[in-house]
Amino acid sequence: MELKRYIGRRLVQIFVIFFVILTVLFLLFRLAPGDPVSRMVDPNLTPEDAALLIKEFGLDQPLLMQYLYYLKNFFTGHFGFSFHYGQPVVQIIWNRLPNTILLFTTSIILSALVGIFLGKIASWHKGEKTDICMTLGALVTHTIFLPWLALIMIWVFAYKLGWFPITGMITVEIWLDPQAGLWTKALDVLYHMTLPLATLFLIHFGSYLLIMRSSMLDTLKEDYILTGRAKGLSEKVIRDHHAAPNAALPVVTSVGLSLAFSINGGALTETVFTWPGIGRELVFSVSHNDYPLAQASFLLIAIVVLLSNLVVDILYAYLDPRIRY
Amino acid sequence: MTGEIQKVTTVTTDIDLSERFHLISRFLEGWSIYKKSFLGKIGLILLAVFALMALCSSIPPLIDPMYQPMSGVDPEIFKATGPSIRHWLGTDFMGRDIFSQLLTGARIAFMVGVSAAFMSVFLGTAIGMIAGYTGKFMDTFLMRLADMIMVMPSLLVLLMLAALFGQLSIWFIVFFIALFRWPGVSRVIRAQTLSLKHRPFIEAARVAGASNLRIIFRHIMPNVLPLSFLYMTFQVTSAIIIEAALAFLGFGDPGTVSWGMMLQWVWKTGHMFKAPYWLLPPGICISLITLSFYMLGRAMDEVLDPRLRKEGTTD
């Protein structure tokens, strides 16, 4: 019951934040130098089509009415037409969303799990070679400049060694082949995903490892660990069942706090590996002055960030009952 | 009457002096702890090297105008070539010297990192102290604002602004990074202020009739400044990364040469498989400068937090 109320409160907060973002974006589009109409209507359209679009977005109306039109269009999913692709924007970003979610969530979950696991081991061997190597490795991978790491990965593993494809998400031949089963297709995506996933993983797991390590060291000093030892529990039980679950809580918090950072990294990775996700679409549309697409991608990314924040909060409330009260 | 006033002033200078000595001794004490940190020493050495690079960045163009990082072109080479005696790290696609670009990049990285970090820490400290000290409505409002900014991916917001307002100048980028990075600092400072607020010395100051402003600046600020200072090192790191990433995507200030922009040139002109001498240096520099600021921060963390010191023999 308490959990439900907590989630409800967070939902309201998220909705308010999103509403503010929506409004700020609207104002920015109107305040920026240049003609606001040219940002929603492709300059290459015929005058009749342009007039139709202007009417649909209420661009000939006063500002307040425009805002209402904007809200209505947002909630009914009308974002206009992409200048570059000539298709409805919603269709494009709807196609890209699963790709981004696939890469993003897999990388976060993988790096958090590995970070927690390795951090546990590092803290257990505190001061020994294992610990020093892990801590240093985490520090170094964590601070590598992401796009550069991505370029190096492509250079080494795709170009020099030829193990993985250089770009893209699928091999077109396999997907056009009617004989190819679901399994082959999934393997194909996995094959393309390996390098971007490895890049994001390398960047992220370090900070989780460091947080887990120091939180584990704190937890190990708690009285209940001493009690466990006094009861004669084996060290492995104390480490894995008593200390680690509690020590992992700060990692969950840090996943939530670093989500915005991770999304930045995700967009960079998608761009370098030409992974067809929303982040790449945003970068692409900004470089090509495709305003409707940029606006919609940005809003969708904001929604993704806010909802992932909510997921992390729920997870945290589930893991730590104290937070609910 | 006058005698009394004079007495008061001498007393205050005494306090000032002792405070100054206290600061110096605190600094020395901190330094002796800092020195023991292995990572801290490496970080400082690396930073010294980068600072030297930044300081030397104006020397190559003086030797020969072809070493101008942005406009200088070797009259005999108009394409990317490998390292030679004339060009220690080779030339880029237009025949510009990569080594002098690298030196200028160090200057830009310091400029962006330190100024953005200073501004964001200044904002964060001020807002954190105000939120923590005043409490009530102001606190809720400022912290909700901080939450809101914190969930925004700053790089993508800057991209949107670049789309709407055209090319962003380097100072606009710095300013915006600062505007997006203060919430993390203000949260910590607010928590610290809250814990200070009810300490006896604050109560004493209030009873003695000190105004709110005086309490904030005179009594709370000195106690939160070490924390702000610590956060500054982490802010430098993220500011450098955001600027580099923005430049890498092609939205940097076209009037400056930054390491991110050098990477963008390698990538966009299709030289990344052909010219490792060009691909490697800027990436290594960005990574190392962030690493060294990070190590600096961790070592300072140990100085400020005695708890870390005892257990952190290996850090």
Side-chain angles (χ1 to χ4, degrees):
Chain A
M1 207 53 219
E2 284 295 332
L3 188 61
K4 266 189 198 149
R5 220 166 69 198
Y6 173 73
I7 294 171
R9 209 168 58 220
R10 291 291 298 146
L11 264 176
V12 172
Q13 272 174 17
I14 281 174
F15 190 75
V16 171
I17 291 179
F18 186 71
F19 205 72
V20 174
I21 293 171
L22 210 58
T23 311
V24 169
L25 203 62
F26 170 83
L27 290 176
L28 277 178
F29 263 72
R30 267 74 191 170
L31 285 176
D35 180 17
V37 174
S38 72
R39 286 202 197 91
M40 283 319 286
V41 181
D42 193 340
N44 300 326
L45 279 181
T46 59
E48 294 86 50
D49 286 346
L52 213 69
L53 266 181
I54 288 176
K55 202 165 156 29
E56 193 191 333
F57 287 97
L59 293 172
D60 47 355
Q61 310 263 348
L63 202 62
L64 189 68
M65 283 306 286
Q66 278 188 36
Y67 180 57
L68 294 178
Y69 266 99
Y70 168 79
L71 289 184
K72 186 194 126 213
N73 282 323
F74 172 76
F75 286 108
T76 49
H78 288 282
F79 291 101
F81 291 84
S82 158
F83 295 177
H84 180 79
Y85 296 99
Q87 290 171 323
V89 166
V90 185
Q91 211 175 317
I92 299 167
I93 56 171
W94 209 239
N95 284 333
R96 305 289 186 262
L97 184 63
N99 305 340
T100 291
I101 291 182
L102 177 68
L103 182 64
F104 187 63
T105 43
T106 323
S107 72
I108 296 236
I109 293 173
L110 190 70
S111 47
L113 288 181
V114 173
I116 288 175
F117 179 73
L118 292 181
K120 188 173 81 180
I121 296 189
S123 72
W124 204 249
H125 296 277
K126 183 175 160 278
E128 295 170 25
K129 268 215 179 73
T130 338
D131 177 34
I132 296 172
C133 288
M134 280 186 184
T135 316
L136 274 181
L139 266 178
V140 171
T141 55
H142 172 56
T143 49
I144 294 183
F145 186 50
L146 198 151
W148 184 68
L149 179 66
L151 290 179
I152 296 289
M153 293 289 256
I154 293 179
W155 185 43
V156 174
F157 293 104
Y159 180 72
K160 286 273 174 200
L161 297 172
W163 291 353
F164 296 102
I166 291 179
T167 56
M169 182 176 164
I170 51 167
T171 315
V172 180
E173 289 82 42
I174 291 182
W175 284 70
L176 285 180
D177 184 6
Q179 245 115 60
L182 194 65
W183 190 235
T184 334
K185 288 177 178 172
L187 271 182
D188 183 47
V189 170
L190 194 67
Y191 174 59
H192 282 81
M193 198 168 81
T194 313
L195 282 187
L197 188 63
T199 308
L200 282 173
F201 165 75
L202 278 177
I203 293 289
H204 287 129
F205 91 99
S207 65
Y208 301 142
L209 187 153
L210 294 173
I211 293 165
M212 180 66 185
R213 179 181 171 278
S214 67
S215 137
M216 188 78 176
L217 288 176
D218 277 347
T219 312
L220 286 175
K221 283 189 218 128
E222 299 275 348
D223 289 340
Y224 68 89
I225 299 293
L226 196 66
T227 315
R229 288 223 167 90
K231 277 199 295 189
L233 293 177
S234 76
E235 291 289 288
K236 198 172 171 300
V237 171
I238 289 176
R239 185 186 70 184
D240 294 346
H241 297 278
H242 291 230
N246 284 324
L249 284 177
V251 179
V252 179
T253 318
S254 112
V255 169
L257 287 177
S258 62
L259 269 176
F261 171 75
S262 313
I263 276 278
N264 283 342
L268 286 166
T269 313
E270 285 179 1
T271 309
V272 178
F273 287 100
T274 56
W275 181 265
I278 314 174
R280 178 173 171 269
E281 217 54 72
L282 177 61
V283 173
F284 176 85
S285 56
V286 168
S287 339
H288 291 77
N289 288 331
D290 191 344
Y291 297 106
L293 187 56
Q295 186 187 28
S297 324
F298 185 81
L299 285 174
L300 194 59
I301 288 175
I303 295 176
V304 169
V305 177
L306 290 174
L307 286 184
S308 352
N309 255 301
L310 182 72
V311 171
V312 173
D313 281 339
I314 293 174
L315 188 66
Y316 196 86
Y318 175 73
L319 291 173
D320 187 357
R322 281 172 303 179
I323 205 79
R324 285 175 238 164
Y325 300 103
Chain B
M1 223 22 206
T2 41
E4 236 180 76
I5 291 169
Q6 230 156 23
K7 213 165 110 195
V8 171
T9 40
T10 45
V11 166
T12 39
T13 45
D14 269 2
I15 290 172
D16 275 346
L17 267 184
S18 73
E19 227 168 51
R20 212 163 294 154
F21 277 123
H22 179 62
L23 272 182
I24 292 170
S25 73
R26 250 173 83 176
F27 175 78
L28 286 178
E29 187 195 334
W31 174 242
S32 71
I33 300 164
Y34 186 94
K35 267 195 307 193
K36 288 187 200 125
S37 162
F38 174 65
L39 288 184
K41 267 187 288 191
I42 296 186
L44 266 190
I45 292 170
L46 279 174
L47 278 184
V49 173
F50 282 119
L52 199 67
M53 281 173 69
L55 285 177
C56 294
S57 64
S58 51
I59 296 176
L62 293 178
I63 297 169
D64 195 314
M66 77 175 178
Y67 290 128
Q68 283 286 355
M70 201 64 181
S71 52
V73 178
D74 191 323
E76 285 156 38
I77 310 169
F78 292 105
K79 58 179 175 38
T81 50
S84 59
I85 297 175
R86 233 165 118 90
H87 302 286
W88 292 356
L89 288 176
T91 53
D92 73 356
F93 67 109
M94 288 164 68
R96 298 181 293 193
D97 187 53
I98 291 177
F99 183 65
S100 50
Q101 286 182 352
L102 207 65
L103 293 184
T104 315
R107 200 180 70 212
I108 300 294
F110 268 107
M111 201 180 86
V112 168
V114 174
S115 48
F118 183 79
M119 276 198 266
S120 65
V121 167
F122 180 79
L123 269 177
T125 309
I127 293 175
M129 286 194 308
I130 293 171
Y133 188 77
T134 51
K136 294 196 193 98
F137 172 74
M138 198 61 170
D139 184 24
T140 320
F141 172 74
L142 288 173
M143 285 302 112
R144 284 289 92 81
L145 189 68
D147 284 348
M148 199 181 311
I149 293 175
M150 231 153 136
V151 295
M152 295 309 296
S154 42
L155 178 66
L156 303 185
V157 177
L158 271 167
L159 270 182
M160 271 315 272
L161 292 173
L164 289 171
F165 293 89
Q167 287 292 355
L168 307 174
S169 84
I170 194 84
W171 289 113
F172 186 84
I173 295 171
V174 165
F175 179 69
F176 248 90
I177 293 174
L179 223 51
F180 268 91
R181 299 296 312 182
W182 64 263
V185 185
S186 74
R187 274 192 170 188
V188 179
I189 298 298
R190 173 181 168 269
Q192 183 77 0
T193 310
L194 280 179
S195 82
L196 287 168
K197 201 167 131 186
H198 297 295
R199 297 268 181 88
F201 72 98
I202 300 288
E203 303 279 345
R206 196 173 299 136
V207 171
S211 68
N212 283 340
L213 269 182
R214 189 181 162 83
I215 292 178
I216 287 182
F217 284 109
R218 193 78 190 144
H219 300 284
I220 290 182
M221 202 165 79
N223 286 296
V224 297
L225 271 188
L227 259 185
S228 312
F229 204 56
L230 166 69
Y231 268 78
M232 203 158 136
T233 57
F234 295 121
Q235 296 294 326
V236 173
T237 315
S238 53
I240 290 175
I241 291 179
I242 293 173
E243 194 278 331
L246 200 64
F248 174 76
L249 291 176
F251 299 96
D253 186 334
T256 55
V257 182
S258 72
W259 290 330
M261 203 167 277
M262 291 173 71
L263 278 179
Q264 201 236 347
W265 287 328
V266 189
W267 182 46
K268 281 285 159 176
T269 56
H271 280 81
M272 54 180 274
F273 298 145
K274 287 180 274 179
Y277 56 86
W278 184 9
L279 171 65
L280 294 177
I284 292 176
C285 281
I286 303 175
S287 307
L288 275 185
I289 203 169
T290 42
L291 180 65
S292 50
F293 271 112
Y294 196 80
M295 292 198 283
L296 190 80
R298 272 181 81 91
M300 274 169 57
D301 216 357
E302 275 172 47
V303 174
L304 294 178
D305 189 348
R307 223 163 37 98
L308 284 177
R309 218 178 299 153
K310 270 177 237 144
E311 65 179 32
T313 43
T314 54
D315 303 350

